[in-house]
Amino acid sequence: MAKLLIADRDGTERTGLQWFIASKHIPFEEIREAKTVHEMIAAIEAERPEAIYLELEMVPDDQFHHVKYLLRTNVERVICITTEAVFERALQALELNAMSLFVKPVSMENLQSSLFQAAKESAPPEKKASDPLMKEGITSEALFIEQAITGSAPSFLLFKPEKASLNKQLYHWLQNGYFPYPARLYPLSSMVAGIFEVPGERENELLQVEGQRLLQQWQEQHQNRLSLAIHPGSLPVRSIHEMYVRTKETMQMEFFKGYQQIHWVNESRGFHMIDPFLTPDEQRLWVTALEKGEKKVMKDWLYVTFTQFPHGYPIPDLLRIKLTSILAQLRRFMHTYKLDENVEIEANYHEVFQTILYQPVLFHIVQEILLFALELIDKAEEQKKNHVFDVVERGLQYIERSFKNPLLTLDDVAKAVDRSPSYFSSLLAKKKGKSFREVLNDCRLSCAKKLLMETNLTIKEIAFQTGFSDPNYFSKRFKETAGSTPRAFRRENKKNIR
C-alpha cells in the first residue's frame, strides 16, 4: 500500500484528516505529517511518499518552483487544497499535475473519492502482483471496498501486537508459521488481517483452540502480548470489507479486557453512547473527596464506574473524555493548593493526561489517575499545614459542596477558609466579579435546571433540594436568570425519563 504525506499548517486539519482516513478505511500503509514547507521538503526527500495532500498556501512564492520539481520527480499523486477560490491557485495546481483541487470548506464525499483513488493508483505494482490474497481469488482491495462474497464466507481474524512497532515482525512470524487450515495474511498499519478456511461444523471451537495457541506462542517467543479478534464465517455477512469493519470495531474490546484475549464479533453487542462529562453530583463527590482526603471514596467510585458495565460497554473514546473530566477536577485541586507550581507534580499531571489519551487498556488508566489523586491529597495536606492555598478557589469548592444547605452563609464559607467574611467577600468579587449570594444562587440554579430536565420531582421538591427554603423565591430567581419559569423551562427542555 501507498504512503501519504499531509502537508498543512493547521494541526487540527492534519489530525482531522488522519481520523477521516482511518474511519473510512482508505488503504494508506503509512501517513506522515508536515506543518511547514521545510518539513514537507525533508519528508519528500526522506520518505518518498506516493501521494501528498498539500495546502497550497503553505508554499511561499520563492520556493514554489523547487517544490514543483520535487513533486514531479518524487510523488505520483498530488491532491491540493486552498482557502482561495482564485485563478492563481488553480494554475498552481495544474503546474503540480494535481489530480484534484479542493476549496475549503471541502466536500468530504469528493475528498474521500480522491484519497481512495490516490491510494489505489499509487500502490507499487510489484506489491499488487505478489499479493497473497489474489492467489485465492480474494484481493487485498476486498478489505477496503464492498465486493460481494460468492459462496460461503471464510473466517476473518485480526491480530494486534501490544507494541505497534512489532507489527511487521508479527506479520512475518505468522507468514512463516504453521496453520492447520488454508490461510491468507495481509499486513495493515498496526494489525495483521487473516482469512482462514476452517471447517464450518466446528468453526468456533477450532478457531478458539488455534487462537489460544497463537497467543501463547507469540508471548513465549517475543515476550510481548497479542490481541485477537475473530469474525466467524457462520455469521451473516455481505462482504470481506464488512467483516473487516466489524472485526476492527470488536478489537476495541481490548480497551476493557486487555491483551492476551480473544474477542468474538458475535459476542459484541456494539458500543453505546454515554454522557462523557461528570454530572454535578459526581463533581461534588470529587471536590469533597479531594478536600477531605477521602481516598477510599475515590477508589471505590473509580472502580465501580470504570470496571462495571451492566448495560453494555460504552464507546471507548467517550470514556476517555470522562476520564479527562476527572483530571480537570484534579487540576482545579492542584490550583487551589498551588501544587501546579511544583515542577515534579506538574510533570506527573501531563504524564497522566498522555496516559488517558494513548494508553490502550482502561484499567491501567484508572490506576494512574488514582495514584496521582492520592499523591495530590498527600501534597495538599502539607500545603494546608503551611497555610498555602488559593483562598477563593477553596471557598468556591466549599460552596459547591454545601449549597444544598438552606442556612449556608458567607460567615460559614469564610470560616472554612480561615478568613474574615469581609475579606473573603472582597477577594471573591475581585476574582469572579460576583457577590457571595450571586455565586451561591448560580450553583443552586444550575443544579435545579438539571433536576428539571432529568427528574419528575415537583417544583417545590426541587426548590428544597437545591437549598431554597421558599419555592416562590426559587421561582422568582429562576425566571430572572433563565428567562422563563421553572415549569416552562421543564416543558421546553425535559429529557425522556424512564
Side-chain angles (χ1 to χ4, degrees):
M1 288 189 290
K3 295 180 185 177
L4 172 69
L5 174 62
I6 300 174
D8 195 303
R9 294 170 297 177
D10 190 329
T12 303
E13 293 277 355
R14 298 194 304 272
T15 302
L17 185 59
Q18 287 246 30
W19 175 87
F20 180 75
I21 291 170
S23 67
K24 298 300 180 182
H25 312 292
I26 300 172
F28 285 107
E29 182 178 21
E30 295 180 37
I31 300 177
R32 296 286 185 268
E33 293 185 9
K35 62 179 179 292
T36 66
V37 69
H38 301 294
E39 287 184 7
M40 179 186 72
I41 291 171
I44 292 172
E45 293 174 344
E47 301 289 340
R48 301 293 175 108
E50 286 82 10
I52 184 171
Y53 172 99
L54 173 62
E55 177 201 14
L56 289 174
E57 284 79 8
M58 172 186 281
V59 183
D61 292 341
D62 61 352
Q63 297 194 51
F64 183 79
H65 289 291
H66 178 50
V67 169
K68 180 173 74 172
Y69 172 78
L70 276 177
L71 294 181
R72 286 192 168 187
T73 55
N74 292 280
V75 181
E76 297 178 25
R77 294 288 180 269
V78 178
I79 297 174
C80 292
I81 188 107
T82 181
T83 57
E84 302 173 334
V86 295
F87 174 75
E88 288 77 7
R89 295 304 184 199
L91 184 61
Q92 285 181 328
L94 287 172
E95 289 188 56
L96 298 177
N97 287 334
M99 60 184 291
S100 303
L101 171 64
F102 295 100
V103 179
K104 296 181 181 180
V106 179
S107 162
M108 301 313 290
E109 182 178 351
N110 293 338
L111 178 60
Q112 178 183 351
S113 176
S114 288
L115 287 168
F116 192 90
Q117 182 183 350
K120 182 178 178 181
E121 294 179 356
S122 300
E126 65 274 14
K127 289 188 179 181
K128 294 179 181 178
S130 61
D131 193 323
L133 298 180
M134 293 186 68
K135 298 177 182 179
E136 300 295 333
I138 301 177
T139 68
S140 58
E141 290 181 356
L143 273 72
F144 306 103
I145 59 176
E146 289 288 345
Q147 292 180 354
I149 295 175
T150 57
S152 59
S155 307
F156 188 90
L157 285 72
L158 279 178
F159 303 86
K160 184 179 180 182
E162 186 175 12
K163 295 181 179 178
S165 59
L166 294 178
N167 196 56
K168 183 176 181 180
Q169 187 176 347
L170 170 63
Y171 170 65
H172 291 302
W173 181 77
L174 291 169
Q175 254 194 334
N176 297 326
Y178 163 76
F179 296 111
Y181 323 105
R184 283 93 68 193
L185 299 168
Y186 187 73
L188 305 173
S189 59
S190 60
M191 295 181 283
V192 176
I195 297 175
F196 288 68
E197 296 176 10
V198 183
E201 62 274 9
R202 298 176 56 210
E203 181 186 18
N204 286 25
E205 177 188 347
L206 296 173
L207 285 172
Q208 179 73 26
V209 172
E210 184 63 13
Q212 291 290 357
R213 178 184 72 83
L214 292 170
L215 292 177
Q216 183 178 351
Q217 289 186 355
W218 171 261
Q219 185 176 38
E220 290 174 350
Q221 296 175 23
H222 298 86
Q223 289 73 54
N224 188 257
R225 295 176 297 178
L226 196 65
S227 286
L228 174 59
I230 300 177
H231 190 306
S234 57
L235 288 180
V237 67
R238 297 185 302 271
S239 64
I240 297 295
H241 172 66
E242 184 180 347
M243 298 182 88
Y244 168 61
V245 172
R246 285 185 184 176
T247 312
K248 186 177 180 182
E249 180 185 22
T250 299
M251 182 63 82
Q252 294 184 72
M253 284 301 299
E254 73 175 10
F255 183 66
F256 300 98
K257 296 187 176 182
Y259 288 92
Q260 290 302 105
Q261 302 287 334
I262 297 177
H263 310 297
W264 291 84
V265 171
N266 56 328
E267 288 179 354
S268 173
R269 294 175 291 175
F271 301 105
H272 65 82
M273 295 288 294
I274 60 167
D275 183 349
F277 302 104
L278 295 179
T279 66
D281 284 343
E282 289 172 332
Q283 291 178 22
R284 282 192 293 276
L285 180 145
W286 274 92
V287 169
T288 302
L290 287 167
E291 182 62 32
K292 295 184 176 181
E294 296 173 339
K295 299 179 180 180
K296 188 176 186 303
V297 171
M298 291 190 302
K299 179 179 178 180
D300 291 346
W301 185 88
L302 282 170
Y303 286 128
V304 168
T305 304
F306 294 105
T307 64
Q308 299 179 18
F309 303 101
H311 304 297
Y313 292 98
I315 297 172
D317 283 348
L318 294 182
L319 275 184
R320 291 187 190 273
I321 294 174
K322 194 174 185 77
L323 289 161
T324 61
S325 296
I326 296 170
L327 193 61
Q329 294 297 318
L330 299 182
R331 185 65 168 174
R332 185 178 177 187
F333 186 68
M334 288 172 60
H335 179 69
T336 299
Y337 291 99
K338 303 188 183 298
L339 297 175
D340 50 342
E341 298 175 7
N342 182 307
V343 175
E344 183 179 348
I345 294 177
E346 182 71 5
N348 290 345
Y349 164 80
H350 289 287
E351 286 181 11
V352 174
F353 181 65
Q354 292 298 311
T355 297
I356 292 173
L357 293 182
Y358 301 113
Q359 165 58 240
V361 180
L362 176 61
F363 182 75
H364 297 315
I365 300 176
V366 173
Q367 282 185 314
E368 289 300 314
I369 288 178
L370 179 59
L371 290 173
F372 184 56
L374 298 181
E375 178 189 10
L376 292 182
I377 287 175
D378 292 339
K379 295 294 185 182
E381 286 301 318
E382 296 176 11
Q383 298 289 73
K384 290 177 186 177
K385 292 177 181 177
N386 296 324
H387 300 283
V388 179
F389 54 84
D390 185 311
V391 173
V392 173
E393 192 63 33
R394 193 175 178 189
L396 289 171
Q397 292 177 12
Y398 185 85
I399 294 172
E400 290 173 7
R401 296 197 307 272
S402 311
F403 71 84
K404 293 184 178 183
N405 175 9
L407 301 178
L408 183 66
T409 65
L410 174 61
D411 287 356
D412 296 328
V413 181
K415 183 177 180 181
V417 297
D418 196 25
R419 296 294 188 273
S420 71
S422 59
Y423 182 61
F424 175 76
S425 180
S426 66
L427 290 177
L428 180 65
K430 184 176 181 180
K431 184 168 184 177
K432 304 298 291 186
K434 295 181 178 182
S435 68
F436 162 74
R437 185 57 57 181
E438 289 173 326
V439 171
L440 178 60
N441 281 334
D442 285 348
C443 288
R444 288 173 170 170
L445 293 173
S446 176
C447 182
K449 288 179 181 179
K450 189 170 182 65
L451 293 175
L452 286 167
M453 290 189 292
E454 299 181 358
T455 75
N456 288 321
L457 295 173
T458 66
I459 305 301
K460 183 177 181 180
E461 289 171 333
I462 290 175
F464 290 150
Q465 284 204 18
T466 54
F468 289 95
S469 55
D470 182 352
N472 292 327
Y473 178 70
F474 161 68
S475 296
K476 178 183 177 182
R477 293 295 304 172
F478 191 95
K479 186 175 182 180
E480 289 175 355
T481 303
S484 63
T485 65
R487 187 167 283 102
F489 178 87
R490 167 175 273 172
R491 194 165 49 246
E492 295 172 3
N493 299 279
K494 182 82 179 281
K495 297 181 180 179
N496 292 328
I497 306 297
R498 295 183 178 180

